[in-house]
Amino acid sequence: MKKTNIVLIGFMGCGKTSVGKKVGHKTGYKFIDTDVYIENSEKMAVSEIFAQKGETHFRRLEKELCLSLSEKSGHVIATGGGIIKSAENAENLKKNGIIVYLKASPHHINKNLFKDNSRPLLSGGNKKEKIKILMFERQLLYESTADITISVSNKSKEKIAENIIKEVRKFDKNMRNTRPKP
Ligand code: S3P
C-alpha cells in the first residue's frame, strides 16, 4: 500500500479512535488522534478548552493541525467529529489522505455515549435529541467529504478495521490505475 494517510471522519462516539488504533497496528502506520494531539499541546481536555478558551479557539487549533497533517504520510488519523465543517480542513486532509467515513446511526451513537460527559456539544439537556439534530446537520457533509463510507452499526471494531483496510487498498489501487501513465 502506498503511504497515503488514512483519515477517519464521523460523528462523536462512532469509534474513530479505537478503530483507528487497530488499523494502525494492522498496517504499521502511525496513529494520530487530532483531539488528543490538541489536548497535549494545550495541556487541557477538549471540554476545558471549549469552556475556558471557546470553540473558536479549538477550531483554530484543528485548522493549524490539518494543515500540518497534509504534509505527513503513513499515518492513520482519527479526527474530531466537527473537523470537516471547515472546507479548508477537508481539502488539507485530502491532499495526502484517503477519507473514510465511519457511519453510525443516532441510536448507535447514543448507546456509545450514554454515560459520556466529555463532549461539550452534547452536554446539558436531552443528549439523544442533540445527537439526532447534529447528525442531521452533518450527515451530508460527512458523506460528500468521504472517499469511502463504512457502516459501523452492529460490527465489531476488529471487523470495521479489516473493512477499512480492504476498502482503502481497493480505492488506492483504482486511483493508481486511473492515473495517466507518464
Ligand atoms: C466535536 C467532536 C469531538 C471533539 C469536540 C467537538 C464535534 O471529537 O473534537 O468535542 O464537533 O463533533 P470526537 O468526534 O472524537 O468525539
Side-chain angles (χ1 to χ4, degrees):
M1 190 157 43
K2 209 165 118 279
K3 287 276 181 184
T4 319
N5 296 323
I6 299 172
V7 182
L8 304 183
I9 64 167
F11 204 83
M12 293 170 260
C14 70
K16 291 162 292 189
T17 302
S18 44
V19 168
K21 281 181 185 163
K22 280 192 184 292
V23 175
H25 279 136
K26 288 176 187 290
T27 53
Y29 279 26
K30 289 187 191 130
F31 175 74
I32 291 186
D33 181 301
T34 60
D35 284 340
V36 173
Y37 186 96
I38 290 171
E39 288 184 326
N40 289 340
S41 68
E42 291 288 285
K43 298 186 177 52
M44 59 175 96
V46 169
S47 56
E48 290 170 327
I49 303 174
F50 269 64
Q52 293 177 28
K53 301 186 173 181
E55 182 176 352
T56 311
H57 177 74
F58 176 77
R59 298 298 176 199
R60 196 162 41 238
L61 298 174
E62 274 190 328
K63 199 165 270 188
E64 285 167 14
L65 181 54
C66 285
L67 182 62
S68 73
L69 289 175
S70 69
E71 309 283 319
K72 296 207 180 296
S73 62
H75 282 71
V76 180
I77 303 167
T79 61
I83 221 160
I84 44 76
K85 287 202 308 176
S86 151
E88 191 183 319
N89 289 350
E91 212 176 285
N92 280 326
L93 291 166
K94 269 176 185 267
K95 271 186 194 150
N96 203 20
I98 297 174
I99 313 287
V100 182
Y101 169 33
L102 302 188
K103 186 172 181 170
S105 65
H107 176 72
H108 182 89
I109 299 294
N110 193 48
K111 234 171 55 188
N112 284 354
L113 297 184
F114 184 58
K115 289 189 182 149
D116 181 284
N117 290 318
S118 67
R119 269 71 173 199
L121 295 182
L122 299 179
S123 70
N126 185 334
K127 192 186 275 178
K128 203 171 169 183
E129 208 44 41
K130 286 189 173 183
I131 290 172
K132 251 201 218 157
I133 294 169
L134 204 52
M135 192 178 283
F136 181 75
E137 281 173 23
R138 290 187 180 167
Q139 185 95 319
L140 278 178
L141 200 50
Y142 287 131
E143 278 169 12
S144 61
T145 306
D147 296 307
I148 296 165
T149 296
I150 290 183
S151 170
V152 298
S153 301
N154 303 320
K155 278 186 199 152
S156 69
K157 302 254 189 292
E158 190 67 21
K159 187 84 204 150
I160 300 165
E162 283 167 8
N163 264 196
I164 292 172
I165 295 168
K166 190 171 126 221
E167 292 302 321
V168 163
R169 286 203 169 117
K170 235 195 282 174
F171 184 87
D172 202 31
K173 189 163 157 259
N174 289 342
M175 287 287 287
R176 263 180 279 160
N177 289 343
T178 53
R179 265 182 220 134
K181 297 225 164 29

